[in-house]
């Protein structure tokens, strides 16, 4: 997949099928939109393109209302690449884009892409104050000779798949339901840092990861997880929280890896959240915490 991080003219490519959207989380609904663009390009021996933004538009439009992101940009690129997209143009949404009228945005599309097919979600908006709609795109398509596809919204177990709902589920700890809407488990990436070494003293050493700023965080508690080290996935138990038993103040992610003995300090890892086992609890002391850790490990092993 070819990646552009700035607006570029790629109109020389033939039969472009372009998917438009913010695609925050690249959830099941987004996958349907992007997948349809890929299929349209394949049928016409054309080029599939995703045109998106590397930041949420609300970070410019109304920063106070900007939601936390579901995944870092690197993972978003990785997932879109895995869908067979030929070109990803992921550029910053800035004040200049904010001022574009819908007609000007359509001119930008024609100038830089000259698409044969445009695929958007039913709630897609574009242009100043979001005044552009799929219907306006359809009318433009008649004038500029491209067709517009608007796949129906995706429902999972009766729930409309949306980034907003996924954030709510993750923040509430329901990572299993969030995974169904995402189409894969929610993950967090990070570099292992030094912790307080309490896990090691208790006999259960943990890999400590900082909480990424601006990202949606699972509710405090204990989770069955898998951790990716290099290309290997291992089962584990993770705690998200401030470690109230020891009057902790800094929220972090700690992972105890089942059947593992090794040094992960300074290594980049990925943690995949599979199921919440319990909420965070303040214990009377180290011994009570150690007993609960044993129960948590047993619960995780039963889950796996």
């Amino acid at each position: 997949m070819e990646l552009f991080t700035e607006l570029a003219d790629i109109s020389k490519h033939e039969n472009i099928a372009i998917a438009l959207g913010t695609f925050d989380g690249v959830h099941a609904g987004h996958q349907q939109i992007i997948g349809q663009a890929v299929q349209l390009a394949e049928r016409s021996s054309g080029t599939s393109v995703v045109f998106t933004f590397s930041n949420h538009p609300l970070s410019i439009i109304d920063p106070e209302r900007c939601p936390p992101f579901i995944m870092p940009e690197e993972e978003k690129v990785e997932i879109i690449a895995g869908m067979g997209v030929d070109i990803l143009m992921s550029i910053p949404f800035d004040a200049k884009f904010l001022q574009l009228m819908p007609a000007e945005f359509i001119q930008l599309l024609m100038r830089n892409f000259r698409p044969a097919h445009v695929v958007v979600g039913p709630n897609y908006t574009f242009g100043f104050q979001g005044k552009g709609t799929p219907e306006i795109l359809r009318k433009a398509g008649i004038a500029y000779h491209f067709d517009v596809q608007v796949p129906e919204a995706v429902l999972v177990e009766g729930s409309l798949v949306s980034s907003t709902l996924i954030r709510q589920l993750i923040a509430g700890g329901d990572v299993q339901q969030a995974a169904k809407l995402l189409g894969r488990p929610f993950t967090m990436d990070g570099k292992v840092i030094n912790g307080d070494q309490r896990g090691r003293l208790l006999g259960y050493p943990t890999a400590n990861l900082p909480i990424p700023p601006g990202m949606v965080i699972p509710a405090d508690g204990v989770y069955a997880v898998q951790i990716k080290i290099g290309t290997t996935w291992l089962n584990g138990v993770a705690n998200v929280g401030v470690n109230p038993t020891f009057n902790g103040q800094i929220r972090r992610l700690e992972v105890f890896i089942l059947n593992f003995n090794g040094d992960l300090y300074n290594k980049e890892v990925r943690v995949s959240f599979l199921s919440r086992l319990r909420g965070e609890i303040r214990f009377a002391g180290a011994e009570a915490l150690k007993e609960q850790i044993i129960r948590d490990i047993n619960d995780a092993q039963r889950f796996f």
Side-chain angles (χ1 to χ4, degrees), residues 18-20 23 26-40 50 83 85 119-122 149-155 160-161 181-184:
I18 186 168
L20 305 175
F23 302 131
V26 198
H27 58 56
H30 297 151
Q31 291 166 40
Q32 176 173 264
I33 294 164
I34 295 169
Q36 191 156 327
V38 170
Q39 288 177 2
L40 287 165
V50 170
M83 296 182 67
V85 171
V119 189
V120 297
Q149 304 280 332
V150 186
E152 289 187 10
V154 174
L155 296 174
L160 181 68
V161 177
L181 274 62
L182 278 168
R184 66 190 173 279

Side-chain angles (χ1 to χ4, degrees), residues 205 229 234-235 256-264:
I229 305 165
L234 299 172
N235 296 336
F256 172 70
I257 307 169
L258 305 179
N259 306 312
F260 176 80
N261 186 20
D263 183 11
L264 295 178

Side-chain angles (χ1 to χ4, degrees), residues 146-280:
F146 61 80
D147 80 282
V148 177
Q149 304 280 332
V150 186
E152 289 187 10
V154 174
L155 296 174
V156 172
E157 296 178 354
S159 295
L160 181 68
V161 177
S162 72
S163 298
T164 299
L165 177 56
I166 290 167
R167 287 190 202 93
Q168 291 171 352
L169 290 168
I170 294 168
D174 193 352
V175 293
Q176 283 184 298
Q177 188 63 19
K180 292 177 183 177
L181 274 62
L182 278 168
R184 66 190 173 279
F186 169 74
T187 63
M188 290 174 62
D189 294 354
K191 183 180 286 188
V192 178
I193 59 173
N194 275 328
D196 299 322
Q197 306 296 318
R198 290 197 184 96
R200 189 173 300 280
L201 293 174
L202 292 170
Y204 299 96
T206 59
N208 291 264
L209 282 79
I211 299 294
M215 186 171 184
V216 63
I217 305 302
D220 290 353
V222 175
Y223 296 81
V225 301
Q226 288 188 312
I227 183 168
K228 187 180 184 182
I229 305 165
T231 58
T232 303
W233 285 96
L234 299 172
N235 296 336
V237 185
N239 182 80
V240 177
V242 297
N243 210 334
T245 302
F246 299 100
N247 298 313
Q249 300 295 320
I250 300 172
R251 180 165 279 99
R252 65 179 58 163
L253 169 61
E254 298 181 73
V255 184
F256 172 70
I257 307 169
L258 305 179
N259 306 312
F260 176 80
N261 186 20
D263 183 11
L264 295 178
Y265 177 68
N266 243 4
K267 284 189 167 58
E268 293 283 349
V269 299
R270 172 168 291 174
V271 179
S272 179
F273 289 78
L274 305 182
S275 179
R276 190 171 193 237
L277 302 177
R278 64 170 175 86
E280 188 168 52

Side-chain angles (χ1 to χ4, degrees), residues 102-120:
E104 293 174 312
F105 180 79
I106 289 167
Q107 288 298 322
L108 179 150
L109 279 184
M110 296 309 301
R111 186 168 58 249
N112 290 279
F113 303 99
R114 202 170 298 281
H117 311 278
V118 176
V119 189
V120 297

Side-chain angles (χ1 to χ4, degrees), residues 47-70:
T47 303
S48 57
V49 177
V50 170
F51 180 38
T52 187
F53 297 112
S54 54
N55 57 318
H56 199 289
L58 277 173
S59 66
I60 302 298
I61 297 168
D62 188 351
E64 291 295 317
R65 290 176 49 232
C66 184
F69 57 88
I70 297 171

